[in-house]
Amino acid sequence: MNRTLLIAIREFKAVVFTKGFVLGILLTPVMVLVGVLAVKLIPEAPEMKVKVALIDQSGAASDFARKRFGSEGAQAEAERVAAEMTKQIDQATGEMGLKGPAVDAAKSQVQSSAAMITGGAKSIALEVLDAGANVDELKNQVKNAQVGFGAPQLMAVVVVPKEAVSGPLVDGKWAEHQLFIHPKLDFQIASIINRRMGDAIVDARITSDPRFSGAQLSPEVVRATFARPDPTPQALGREGDKPSMGAVQMIVPFAMMILLMLSVMTGGQYLMTALVEEKSNRVMEVLLSAVSPMQLMTGKIIGMMCVALLILTIYGGAGIAGLIVANLVDLIETSKLIWLAIFFFCAFFTIASMMAAVGAAVNDIREAQTFLTPVMLTVMLPWLMVMPISRAPNSTFATVLSFVPVMNPFVSVIRLGGSEPVPNWQLAVSAVIGVLTALVTAWIAAKIFRIGVLMYGKPPNFTTLIRWVRIA
Amino acid sequence: MTEAAIRIDGVRKTFGPKVAVDGLSLVVPRGSLCGFIGPNGAGKTTTIRMIMSIIFPDTGSIQVLGKGSALESKDRIGYLPEERGLYKKMKVGAFLAYVAQLKGINASEASRRAASWLQRVELGGVINKRCEELSKGMQQKVQFIAAVLHEPELIILDEVFSGLDPMNRRLMRDLIDEQHRAGRTVIFSTHAMFEAEQLCDQIFMIHQGRKMLDGPLTDVLEQFDTRSLVVETQSDEGVQQLRNVEGVAEVITGTDRGADKRAVQVLLSEGENAQRVLARIASTVSVKRIEVRRVSLEEVFLEVVRRSGGGEVDERLLAGFAVSSGEGGES
């Protein structure tokens, strides 16, 4: 059997047929899922029993405040929030063309969230005090409150000045109420108090203004009048009108970029660590007595390329399967997948060559860090620019970046997934640049590799590497 | 089989300012068993790596098995590097089969040979163990198998005896001898002078990158014959009497160790015949043991280093080896 191939097969087996690899490949998505779920499971409103004192100097807001803080008001609030969220879910799922049990599950989640808000509301007790109550004394009481889960403590004081309801307006604005809170009061409870008081004050303004009450305009009508319309944009497509993709559009460029980076970097990393290990446990010379350094390097790179391809296929396949399930498969086109494959090879050979050179040059992993930083930077840079590139894939910025060696495969992949089609000639130029970059990097890497694999002792620096390239 | 297995001609290799090998010329005859000796840092490993075409000389030429470089005959060479290692996570059998396949043996034959070789070196039970589970001595044996599994014509072993216990040293010696008897050319570098002396028919020594000794072992030893006797007297007075015997130039005492407490080295005067002096001593002094002293390779080694100004060698050490050579105690 061809020796390069023999080496490639061993390298592939040595990586893939390990518990570490199998678990790593399977566990990564599982952990992401767990992470997402964990965030969802954190309760939104903590169950802290809180007492709020209200000093209503306007005399008009306290009745509305009682209503807002009472169980009826909280119920109404919960329903309103639930309705708002359900609408958002409908909108988002409609955009994606989603339906079925997942959507129903999301809706029921919203109901329970709303119920939690109602529950939270019950734990906030409002106490209306005289307009002339001593504010400073109350503030002291709040300051000295013992935070705990026992009897409700006075945790906040709200002062509504007369001007907040009856004006006059200063610089076109109403005066605002004041909210003093205990430093440990949960920010969500503080914002609920603020929101309810704000609503109560607006209700008070509308009802106490004769222009509204005279025209028999209730606060509900007035509020509805001022609500800004927010229809869902309808994208015009060949297959008839359908809701715009919106944020979903970002999924594909992100996913393609992540896939490319994940597979290339994982393969590269394995290659480098394997080389460093072989060098440090001196298997290298045994191998070099049988094969040439070039065969060794080529074999290793091909082996690791298969590892990277495997990762790409597993995750990419899972992603496509997910899109099919979600009825979103028309987000990706076959031509894009072909381009992805082309850019994968460019990126992989470039990065793998660099990793091979680094792995061969250093004595241990720590020394490798110095050389890895620039490699990582060139890979990370396009990652930081995913947003601007994918939103305007044909901007001069994106176009020029897609011609810059080393990072061009990554940039091109983001452009491919972007909102506008990219001219084929530009992709072709980028691919040619990618191939040339890969060839040049491999050529340089081979030189460093040949000398580096048998060099032990003083850790090399960049000058040493350049010297090796020259003499090899 | 008169053709040279290796022919090195005027080879020089420098690493930066350091000259590792300087103007080295060597011929290793085919079918010979050559010991390659020299102090640490003499340039042995560098020379071997150049022979293997792992690194290349700055000037000079190296021919291996009649080809311009080892690259053209890699499959006909077996190599045990000094810096040795195995794939820690790989199973022993799989590792050996892999190395043999890289040397051009087909997969099934490689596995078969690996199994039978492991049996031979009493490692039959480890074939499915990971390499990292082996002791150092076991790893050494596995390495040796890796070097000879493809039945090469030329076997190069760098520091083959290091890290082995006496039993395994003997096993290794037998294995090397067996390869030699099968008609293969074997070169091994070593610091184990006893093994070298036991095994080699040819010896090369380099020091500070230059060749110091080259030729058949017997010739080399003869060259360094110190012309002396070893005498063990019955009593301390005997030692005094020795000094008065005709033909004795000097009596060196205190060179012995352990059981040979009274053994001394007797240096002969210029032009004296060893047999005649031996007879005179036997007739005048009461002795337990008397023999013509054979110089050991170890002494030759130390002497060469001393002559070439290798300041690291202690003179007392040199004297100490005078009687007590051949620690292995067998021949």
Side-chain angles (χ1 to χ4, degrees):
Chain A
M1 200 191 307
N2 181 306
R3 288 172 203 196
T4 311
L5 201 61
L6 209 62
I7 293 170
I9 292 172
R10 198 212 79 88
E11 295 300 325
F12 180 76
K13 282 189 190 165
V15 172
V16 174
F17 294 164
T18 56
K19 280 180 214 136
F21 181 81
V22 175
L23 287 180
I25 285 287
L26 295 179
L27 279 188
T28 313
V30 171
M31 273 163 66
V32 170
L33 270 181
V34 169
V36 170
L37 285 180
V39 170
K40 287 209 147 197
L41 289 178
I42 295 170
E44 283 176 27
E47 290 176 30
M48 189 193 247
K49 289 210 164 76
V50 170
K51 222 158 71 174
V52 181
L54 171 63
I55 302 170
D56 182 17
Q57 292 163 351
S58 72
S62 52
D63 284 346
F64 290 105
R66 273 197 198 95
K67 237 187 248 168
R68 293 274 170 189
F69 279 87
S71 61
E72 218 173 284
Q75 185 65 42
E77 185 180 41
E79 274 164 18
R80 202 182 69 220
V81 171
E84 233 166 64
M85 284 169 80
T86 314
K87 186 197 164 198
Q88 272 178 14
I89 291 174
D90 279 339
Q91 210 167 332
T93 50
E95 279 172 12
M96 298 185 209
L98 288 173
K99 45 190 168 289
V103 176
D104 296 339
K107 282 182 185 165
S108 79
Q109 176 82 30
V110 166
Q111 307 297 336
S112 63
S113 300
M116 209 136 68
I117 292 170
T118 324
K122 279 177 190 156
S123 65
I124 305 175
L126 185 75
E127 195 180 335
V128 180
L129 304 177
D130 286 349
N134 188 338
V135 177
D136 289 333
E137 196 183 296
L138 285 165
K139 280 203 255 181
N140 264 331
Q141 218 177 313
V142 168
K143 218 190 293 174
N144 299 325
Q146 297 294 314
V147 182
F149 293 90
Q153 297 274 337
L154 185 67
M155 296 291 279
V157 178
V158 181
V159 180
V160 180
K162 197 169 163 287
E163 295 78 20
V165 174
S166 51
L169 275 65
V170 178
D171 293 338
K173 276 184 175 170
W174 295 91
E176 288 181 329
H177 63 279
Q178 286 171 298
L179 173 62
F180 304 102
I181 59 167
H182 188 277
K184 295 242 172 84
L185 182 69
D186 185 85
F187 75 95
Q188 281 193 347
I189 294 186
S191 77
I192 289 176
I193 297 172
N194 235 350
R195 193 173 63 225
R196 289 180 184 173
M197 275 316 302
D199 284 343
I201 291 169
V202 172
D203 288 345
R205 283 175 194 161
I206 296 171
T207 39
S208 56
D209 192 322
R211 283 166 295 183
F212 288 121
S213 47
Q216 293 187 330
L217 290 170
S218 69
E220 286 73 29
V221 172
V222 177
R223 279 172 186 279
T225 313
F226 285 102
R228 183 164 23 80
D230 182 23
T232 309
Q234 308 271 314
L236 302 174
R238 258 168 276 154
E239 299 130 39
D241 302 354
K242 62 176 182 183
S244 150
M245 292 296 183
V248 185
Q249 259 181 347
M250 296 303 299
I251 291 176
V252 174
F254 260 109
M256 281 169 83
M257 173 74 190
I258 289 174
L259 265 183
L260 188 66
M261 270 208 4
L262 190 80
S263 55
V264 166
M265 292 314 287
T266 315
Q269 200 80 34
Y270 274 123
L271 178 66
M272 196 196 69
T273 38
L275 269 168
V276 172
E277 195 194 326
E278 269 167 31
K279 224 183 129 175
S280 67
N281 70 19
R282 325 279 172 165
V283 182
M284 201 57 92
E285 266 186 80
V286 180
L287 299 176
L288 287 182
S289 73
V291 296
S292 71
M294 253 334 257
Q295 279 176 311
L296 184 62
M297 186 175 121
T298 318
K300 283 182 169 298
I301 290 181
I302 292 176
M304 290 308 171
M305 183 189 75
C306 296
V307 175
L309 266 178
L310 181 71
I311 299 173
L312 187 73
T313 321
I314 291 176
Y315 286 161
I320 291 174
L323 289 181
I324 291 171
V325 170
N327 199 12
L328 276 176
V329 80
D330 41 351
L331 273 180
I332 38 173
E333 297 150 28
T334 323
S335 68
K336 285 189 178 174
L337 289 182
I338 293 169
W339 280 115
L340 176 67
I342 293 173
F343 287 116
F344 165 80
F345 286 111
C346 296
F348 181 80
F349 279 108
T350 309
I351 301 295
S353 299
M354 289 181 183
M355 292 296 213
V358 172
V362 298
N363 300 303
D364 56 46
I365 290 288
R366 269 174 298 129
E367 286 172 26
Q369 293 308 323
T370 334
F371 299 106
L372 279 185
T373 315
V375 179
M376 293 306 256
L377 272 181
T378 37
V379 177
M380 289 311 287
L381 218 58
W383 173 244
L384 297 176
M385 296 181 294
V386 168
M387 285 303 283
I389 295 174
S390 64
R391 290 174 74 175
N394 286 322
S395 64
T396 319
F397 173 72
T399 312
V400 169
L401 270 191
S402 73
F403 297 149
V404 175
V406 183
M407 66 170 81
N408 66 322
F410 300 98
V411 177
S412 293
V413 163
I414 306 174
R415 289 185 69 194
L416 265 176
S419 56
E420 300 163 29
V422 177
N424 272 327
W425 72 266
Q426 287 183 3
L427 290 172
V429 169
S430 180
V432 169
I433 292 172
V435 171
L436 291 178
T437 314
L439 288 176
V440 171
T441 336
W443 180 74
I444 294 174
K447 290 182 161 231
I448 295 177
F449 189 91
R450 224 173 70 195
I451 298 193
V453 279
L454 289 167
M455 285 284 181
Y456 293 98
K458 194 169 155 263
N461 51 29
F462 280 104
T463 330
T464 327
L465 294 193
I466 292 166
R467 210 181 62 233
W468 289 355
V469 172
R470 282 208 187 130
I471 60 175
Chain B
M1 285 265 216
T2 46
E3 194 198 336
I6 299 173
R7 189 183 295 276
I8 300 177
D9 199 12
V11 160
R12 182 182 159 89
K13 178 72 187 177
T14 54
F15 293 108
K18 188 180 180 288
V19 182
V21 173
D22 194 6
L24 185 70
S25 296
L26 270 183
V27 175
V28 177
R30 258 189 210 229
S32 61
L33 177 47
C34 301
F36 190 19
I37 60 175
N40 288 329
K44 299 188 296 290
T45 297
T46 306
T47 307
I48 287 178
R49 284 180 175 176
M50 284 193 289
I51 295 172
M52 288 306 300
S53 289
I54 290 172
I55 52 177
F56 298 91
D58 301 342
T59 55
S61 71
I62 298 175
Q63 282 193 337
V64 182
L65 296 173
K67 297 278 172 61
S69 98
L71 294 177
E72 293 163 51
S73 37
K74 273 194 163 165
D75 296 351
R76 294 157 66 202
I77 306 173
Y79 175 49
L80 171 73
E82 179 195 13
E83 310 275 17
R84 60 187 65 101
L86 307 156
Y87 282 113
K88 284 188 210 152
K89 303 281 173 203
M90 223 171 163
K91 288 183 177 156
V92 175
F95 170 76
L96 288 174
Y98 174 59
V99 175
Q101 283 186 68
L102 286 180
K103 292 282 194 180
I105 307 290
N106 71 51
S108 60
E109 175 66 9
S111 308
R112 197 191 58 75
R113 284 192 201 177
S116 85
W117 260 101
L118 285 171
Q119 288 292 346
R120 288 197 48 199
V121 299
E122 293 151 15
L123 288 179
V126 305
I127 191 161
N128 283 321
K129 283 198 172 166
R130 287 165 186 256
C131 291
E132 63 189 350
E133 295 172 53
L134 304 187
S135 72
K136 201 179 168 203
M138 288 170 159
Q139 290 190 357
Q140 181 86 328
K141 289 198 265 184
V142 171
Q143 290 279 346
F144 178 82
I145 297 173
V148 298
L149 204 59
H150 58 296
E151 296 173 358
E153 291 166 49
L154 171 63
I155 300 168
I156 300 178
L157 310 166
D158 201 354
E159 287 301 343
V160 66
F161 295 107
S162 73
L164 293 180
D165 62 27
M167 260 162 51
N168 280 317
R169 275 180 180 228
R170 190 186 284 194
L171 174 65
M172 191 60 80
R173 227 165 61 205
D174 293 345
L175 292 173
I176 293 173
D177 197 41
E178 180 191 291
Q179 294 293 322
H180 175 222
R181 274 186 278 113
R184 292 170 190 144
T185 314
V186 183
I187 304 175
F188 66 95
S189 84
T190 187
H191 290 297
M193 293 303 140
F194 178 70
E195 274 75 12
E197 201 171 334
Q198 295 284 307
L199 273 171
C200 299
D201 48 32
Q202 293 276 326
I203 197 93
F204 302 113
M205 177 172 173
I206 61 171
H207 180 39
Q208 293 169 344
R210 290 169 189 276
K211 185 167 78 178
M212 293 291 158
L213 299 173
D214 178 6
L217 179 67
T218 44
D219 294 3
V220 168
L221 292 178
E222 203 162 288
Q223 215 180 309
F224 282 81
D225 192 358
T226 52
R227 292 175 34 76
S228 59
L229 307 173
V230 177
V231 182
E232 195 181 332
T233 58
Q234 294 281 10
S235 63
D236 288 341
E237 292 84 65
V239 177
Q240 283 306 318
Q241 292 168 346
L242 280 177
R243 299 189 203 276
N244 303 324
V245 175
E246 190 191 343
V248 170
E250 201 185 337
V251 175
I252 302 169
T253 55
T255 58
D256 46 4
R257 292 176 211 159
D260 284 347
K261 247 196 149 104
R262 283 214 187 83
V264 293
Q265 188 182 351
V266 175
L267 300 185
L268 306 184
S269 314
E270 202 69 29
E272 266 298 349
N273 179 300
Q275 290 304 321
R276 238 178 294 153
V277 179
L278 193 145
R280 270 181 223 139
I281 291 173
S283 61
T284 52
V285 185
S286 142
V287 294
K288 257 189 188 164
R289 173 167 71 98
I290 181 163
E291 61 193 38
V292 178
R293 190 172 162 278
R294 213 178 111 257
V295 70
S296 73
L297 187 59
E298 186 155 354
E299 285 168 282
V300 171
F301 180 96
L302 291 166
E303 178 64 13
V304 169
V305 174
R306 190 181 63 81
R307 280 190 204 170
S308 62
E312 295 162 28
V313 181
D314 192 327
E315 293 288 330
R316 275 172 303 168
L317 204 61
L318 267 177
F321 284 118
V323 226
S324 55
S325 59
E327 293 155 57
E330 54 180 306
S331 53

